[in-house]
Amino acid sequence: MMATEFLSVFAGRRVMVTGHTGFKGSWLAFLLNEIGAEVLGYALPAEQKESHFVVLALDKSIRHVEGDVRDGTKLTETMAGFQPEFVFHLAAQALVRPSYTDPKATFETNVMGSVNLLEAVRQCESVRSLVYITSDKCYENLEWVWGYRENDRLGGYDPYSASKAAAEIAFSAYARSFFAHRPELGAATARAGNVIGGGDWALDRIVPDCIRAIGLGKPVVLRNPKATRPWQHVLEPLAGYLLLAMRLREQPLTYSSAWNFGPPSSEVRTVLQVAEQIVSRIGRGSVVIEPSEVKLHEANLLQLNCDKAHRLLGWKPRWNVEKTLEATADWYKAVMDGAEVAMVTRQQLRDYFPELK
């Protein structure tokens, strides 16, 4: 399907995005605003002054509400006041290693925060399409070589992964207990692999760690260089979420289920390969390996099977891993060289969706 066919669906529609101050959320809110949607974002303040949300000045172009998903009353009141037709739930504590530091907050945000979102949707009759984003880490990871399907067992070794599995179980309960009695409402979960792209400044993620090191003139330090991930550009799953949201609005009974969005196994790369290609593309910096003395469990192998999205949604990745790494490095290089962030972001949207030109 041409992007213009499904992106145009959102023009003039009310769309609520939780977690819009985060990396993925800022790209989604920016894209929706570019295509003419009426966007309300609900999230905590951005964590860094250089965050994508802040430098895009998104608070001036969309309705921006600062709020915690753990505050169920405010979340419900905000949704009720806005009366959205589409809801994208991205708000989360999104990293594995911080979940070891503060597991309680991770569960409170990712489980009870998500329950609050589901409860707000349950009470808001305007919602026709809910895309509830969790993570590829919601699967009980046995580190086998084939990809996990949507009906594989949920679980999690670390608090982050377990919280995402629990969020999926909460969704299933609401879908069967409440949403099934609203045939006009389409609701689905979306599980995506690791995303990279410009504007990510989170700690403990390989690309922003590379960029910070390069900016400081220091080598990029890797603690787990052989770990593999299904790297994809942030626009890949976002295109999937938007396509899914449209289908949920059109045919709620057909598409209300779980969906994987990730690259094929041929596109998997190690952390070392990603760091080396980022450094090479930017043209400066170096990579060193220093295994961490803190032995926290992190998965070495995780892959999704996306046959369902390919066949039933018609979604497939547009960029291979080389193009993904090039676009990511080019975004940071352009911004480090003084280019306007909104201009660089807008250009990459049009590179990915050439139909929008």
PDB file of all heavy atoms in Angstrom, residues 151 178 188 343 347:
ATOM      1  N   ASN A 151       1.873 -15.880  18.944  1.00  0.00           N
ATOM      2  CA  ASN A 151       1.246 -16.789  19.904  1.00  0.00           C
ATOM      3  C   ASN A 151       2.257 -17.561  20.752  1.00  0.00           C
ATOM      4  O   ASN A 151       1.902 -18.499  21.458  1.00  0.00           O
ATOM      5  CB  ASN A 151       0.307 -17.764  19.194  1.00  0.00           C
ATOM      6  CG  ASN A 151       1.021 -18.579  18.126  1.00  0.00           C
ATOM      7  OD1 ASN A 151       2.205 -18.363  17.861  1.00  0.00           O
ATOM      8  ND2 ASN A 151       0.310 -19.502  17.496  1.00  0.00           N
ATOM      9  N   PHE A 178     -13.909  -6.386  28.172  1.00  0.00           N
ATOM     10  CA  PHE A 178     -14.580  -5.110  27.910  1.00  0.00           C
ATOM     11  C   PHE A 178     -14.643  -4.746  26.432  1.00  0.00           C
ATOM     12  O   PHE A 178     -15.711  -4.427  25.904  1.00  0.00           O
ATOM     13  CB  PHE A 178     -13.890  -3.985  28.691  1.00  0.00           C
ATOM     14  CG  PHE A 178     -13.758  -4.277  30.159  1.00  0.00           C
ATOM     15  CD1 PHE A 178     -12.507  -4.435  30.736  1.00  0.00           C
ATOM     16  CD2 PHE A 178     -14.881  -4.391  30.974  1.00  0.00           C
ATOM     17  CE1 PHE A 178     -12.373  -4.712  32.089  1.00  0.00           C
ATOM     18  CE2 PHE A 178     -14.759  -4.670  32.331  1.00  0.00           C
ATOM     19  CZ  PHE A 178     -13.500  -4.831  32.893  1.00  0.00           C
ATOM     20  N   ALA A 188      -5.358  -3.500  19.460  1.00  0.00           N
ATOM     21  CA  ALA A 188      -4.307  -4.482  19.183  1.00  0.00           C
ATOM     22  C   ALA A 188      -3.038  -4.114  19.919  1.00  0.00           C
ATOM     23  O   ALA A 188      -2.793  -2.942  20.220  1.00  0.00           O
ATOM     24  CB  ALA A 188      -4.024  -4.546  17.682  1.00  0.00           C
ATOM     25  N   MET A 343      14.194  20.330  10.109  1.00  0.00           N
ATOM     26  CA  MET A 343      14.458  20.177   8.683  1.00  0.00           C
ATOM     27  C   MET A 343      15.026  18.786   8.387  1.00  0.00           C
ATOM     28  O   MET A 343      14.608  18.108   7.440  1.00  0.00           O
ATOM     29  CB  MET A 343      15.440  21.239   8.199  1.00  0.00           C
ATOM     30  CG  MET A 343      15.753  21.155   6.698  1.00  0.00           C
ATOM     31  SD  MET A 343      17.126  22.235   6.233  1.00  0.00           S
ATOM     32  CE  MET A 343      18.517  21.380   7.003  1.00  0.00           C
ATOM     33  N   GLN A 347      13.069  15.857   6.322  1.00  0.00           N
ATOM     34  CA  GLN A 347      13.660  15.296   5.113  1.00  0.00           C
ATOM     35  C   GLN A 347      13.721  13.767   5.195  1.00  0.00           C
ATOM     36  O   GLN A 347      13.464  13.072   4.207  1.00  0.00           O
ATOM     37  CB  GLN A 347      15.058  15.859   4.880  1.00  0.00           C
ATOM     38  CG  GLN A 347      15.725  15.360   3.600  1.00  0.00           C
ATOM     39  CD  GLN A 347      14.906  15.667   2.373  1.00  0.00           C
ATOM     40  OE1 GLN A 347      14.531  16.822   2.128  1.00  0.00           O
ATOM     41  NE2 GLN A 347      14.608  14.648   1.563  1.00  0.00           N
TER      42      GLN A 347
END
